[in-house]
Amino acid sequence: MLVGQTIGAGAYRFEVDKELGSGAMGAVYRAQFHRDGTVLTVALKVVLLGLAGNEGAMARFEREATILKQLKHPRIVRLYATGTYKKTPFIAMEFIDGEPLDRLLGRRGRLGWEEVAEYMKQLCEALQYAHEKGIIHRDLKPSNLMVTKDGNLKLTDFGIAKD
């Protein structure tokens, strides 16, 4: 667990303050990214220690970073940095102040058709942009769609995307 730890040093470091979640590939933390005098709140995705020697898992993680580097769109989570910490790779991405669509659905139940149409319009904007770049997401599901507090949708998790 990285909560309370600092990754990096000096003008380029991450101060980890909270675990946001974990899955089969790794854990995601909220961190303060200090970069050249500015501070950004980021989501820091770190590979599980046990997967560091797994070539397939490492290739998937590296592919996600490579794909995110190509995508700069307001409906797609933004990549800020990549690196390693104690020989474990990490990806620093835009922190999205909101919740995954699956959690929102679990909390609220059905959504009105107008809200669904708006989310789908936003998702289509993200997918069209990615497809124009030659990238296919391949893992569309509510848990990979973040909804911000002001109702904007962001597409995340390009781990199995194809370019």
Side-chain angles (χ1 to χ4, degrees), residues 99-111 116 119 142-143 147:
E99 64 184 326
L101 183 58
D102 64 335
R103 206 173 300 152
L104 179 114
L105 290 169
R107 186 171 49 76
R108 288 185 38 202
R110 285 188 178 188
L111 304 177
V116 171
Y119 290 151
S143 61
V147 179

Side-chain angles (χ1 to χ4, degrees), residues 15 22 37 42-43 51 53 59 61 73 75 77 88 94 98 143 156:
E15 294 174 354
S22 61
V42 298
L51 293 177
F61 200 77
H73 190 273
R75 303 282 178 230
V77 66
T88 303
E94 169 186 13
S143 61
T156 68

Side-chain angles (χ1 to χ4, degrees), residues 1-3 5-8 14-31 42-52 57-58 60-62 64-65 79 81-93 157:
M1 180 166 245
L2 297 176
V3 174
Q5 294 188 38
T6 298
I7 298 171
F14 300 90
E15 294 174 354
V16 181
D17 60 18
K18 181 180 181 180
E19 183 172 343
L20 299 173
S22 61
M25 284 289 294
V28 180
Y29 300 91
R30 184 180 65 198
V42 298
L44 194 65
K45 188 175 190 177
V46 181
V47 173
L48 287 176
L49 289 175
L51 293 177
M58 292 297 91
R60 179 178 168 183
F61 200 77
E62 289 173 21
E64 181 172 16
L79 176 76
T82 62
T84 57
Y85 175 66
K86 296 184 179 179
K87 299 182 182 179
T88 303
F90 66 81
I91 300 172
M93 300 172 286
D157 198 348

Side-chain angles (χ1 to χ4, degrees), residues 3-160:
V3 174
Q5 294 188 38
T6 298
I7 298 171
Y12 187 86
R13 70 185 185 283
F14 300 90
E15 294 174 354
V16 181
D17 60 18
K18 181 180 181 180
E19 183 172 343
L20 299 173
S22 61
M25 284 289 294
V28 180
Y29 300 91
R30 184 180 65 198
Q32 302 307 309
F33 179 26
H34 297 260
R35 180 177 66 182
D36 302 324
T38 62
V39 180
L40 291 170
T41 301
V42 298
L44 194 65
K45 188 175 190 177
V46 181
V47 173
L48 287 176
L49 289 175
L51 293 177
N54 181 317
E55 288 182 25
M58 292 297 91
R60 179 178 168 183
F61 200 77
E62 289 173 21
R63 183 174 53 243
E64 181 172 16
T66 300
I67 286 172
L68 283 175
K69 284 178 188 175
Q70 302 172 54
L71 301 174
K72 291 177 178 51
H73 190 273
R75 303 282 178 230
I76 297 174
V77 66
R78 182 100 187 230
L79 176 76
Y80 290 127
T82 62
T84 57
Y85 175 66
K86 296 184 179 179
K87 299 182 182 179
T88 303
F90 66 81
I91 300 172
M93 300 172 286
E94 169 186 13
F95 174 77
I96 301 167
D97 191 13
E99 64 184 326
L101 183 58
D102 64 335
R103 206 173 300 152
L104 179 114
L105 290 169
R107 186 171 49 76
R108 288 185 38 202
R110 285 188 178 188
L111 304 177
W113 72 266
E114 298 93 340
E115 193 171 11
V116 171
E118 180 57 32
Y119 290 151
M120 291 307 98
K121 176 181 173 261
Q122 293 178 35
L123 175 59
C124 287
E125 290 171 7
L127 292 173
Q128 180 177 352
Y129 175 81
H131 291 181
E132 287 170 355
K133 296 281 188 182
I135 296 167
I136 302 169
H137 188 277
R138 299 192 329 156
D139 197 18
L140 290 178
K141 57 188 177 184
S143 61
N144 289 339
L145 302 172
M146 292 291 293
V147 179
T148 66
K149 293 186 187 258
D150 58 356
N152 288 307
L153 187 120
K154 295 262 191 177
L155 180 58
T156 68
D157 198 348
F158 283 77
I160 64 170

